[in-house]
Amino acid sequence: MGTKTIDEAGAETGAEAKRDEETVDVTKTDPSADNGTETEAYATDPADAEEQDGDEALGDGDDAAEADQATGIGQGAAAVVSAGLGVVSLTGSWVATVAAARETLVGQLQTSSSASVAQQVKEVYGDAWATTALIGGLFALAALIVGVVVLVRPAFGAPGKPQAAWIKSVAWAGVSLGVIGLVLAVAKYSDILLGLPSTS
């Protein structure tokens, strides 16, 4: 009886030890599972980094596109201004009208009634016409300068980005009108064109 009791106790003890080992084995964490989790975490992090880099690159591209658009708008506006100044140089402006009227008044005040006809014509009309031609020439020169600046602007910008065709056309129109206006202004100011009538 005693031996049986010992054997039974030993058997029971062995069974309990085996159960304890199984319990310990079940509660242990699998190292491969931990490594898989960490691997997944590391695998996810570079993707997020690449996505963030892509977003930053996209943002830089948008900024460059906005800068190019702003540059094109500025060049277009300058080309229109050049053409407008050229038209004003040929048709006249209120500045030239006021300046000519003032010069006429000054000539009337400074010319005595005993002055010769040629002197009176020069002081009253000639100087006023010369003033109009001078102001028209200034507008023409401004149109010429602005138009040339617009045309040469792409040479100082980013290479490989051509200027819009309509900007070139308007800028060339401004340059052409400026040249014509400048030539006419010089011709009128020097009395080559529409000089004073003869009073003899």
Side-chain angles (χ1 to χ4, degrees):
M1 294 294 290
T3 305
K4 183 178 181 179
T5 303
I6 292 171
D7 293 336
E8 290 177 355
E12 291 176 359
T13 304
E16 290 178 357
K18 187 175 181 180
R19 291 192 195 96
D20 292 340
E21 291 177 358
E22 291 177 355
T23 303
V24 171
D25 292 337
V26 170
T27 57
K28 285 182 179 180
T29 58
D30 189 2
S32 62
D34 293 340
N35 293 333
T37 304
E38 293 177 357
T39 304
E40 291 178 357
Y42 287 122
T44 304
D45 291 340
D48 294 339
E50 291 178 358
E51 184 177 357
Q52 292 177 357
D53 294 338
D55 293 339
E56 291 178 356
L58 183 61
D60 294 339
D62 293 339
D63 293 340
E66 291 178 358
D68 293 339
Q69 184 178 4
T71 303
I73 292 174
Q75 293 180 12
V80 173
V81 169
S82 174
L85 290 173
V87 171
V88 170
S89 68
L90 295 175
T91 59
S93 65
W94 66 268
V95 178
T97 301
V98 172
R102 182 181 182 278
E103 193 65 29
T104 299
L105 180 60
V106 171
Q108 291 175 350
L109 294 175
Q110 293 182 351
T111 304
S112 62
S113 58
S114 60
S116 64
V117 176
Q119 183 68 22
Q120 292 180 5
V121 170
K122 181 182 179 302
E123 294 293 336
V124 176
Y125 298 102
D127 292 346
W129 294 346
T131 301
T132 303
L134 177 61
I135 295 178
L138 293 177
F139 275 100
L141 182 61
L144 180 60
I145 293 174
V146 174
V148 170
V149 169
V150 173
L151 292 175
V152 301
R153 175 63 179 83
F156 300 96
K161 293 183 179 179
Q163 193 176 50
W166 73 270
I167 295 178
K168 289 183 178 180
S169 299
V170 177
W172 274 115
V175 171
S176 301
L177 292 173
V179 171
I180 295 173
L182 191 60
V183 170
L184 292 177
V186 171
K188 178 63 193 81
Y189 191 83
S190 59
D191 286 338
I192 297 175
L193 179 66
L194 300 176
L196 292 173
S198 176
T199 56
S200 58

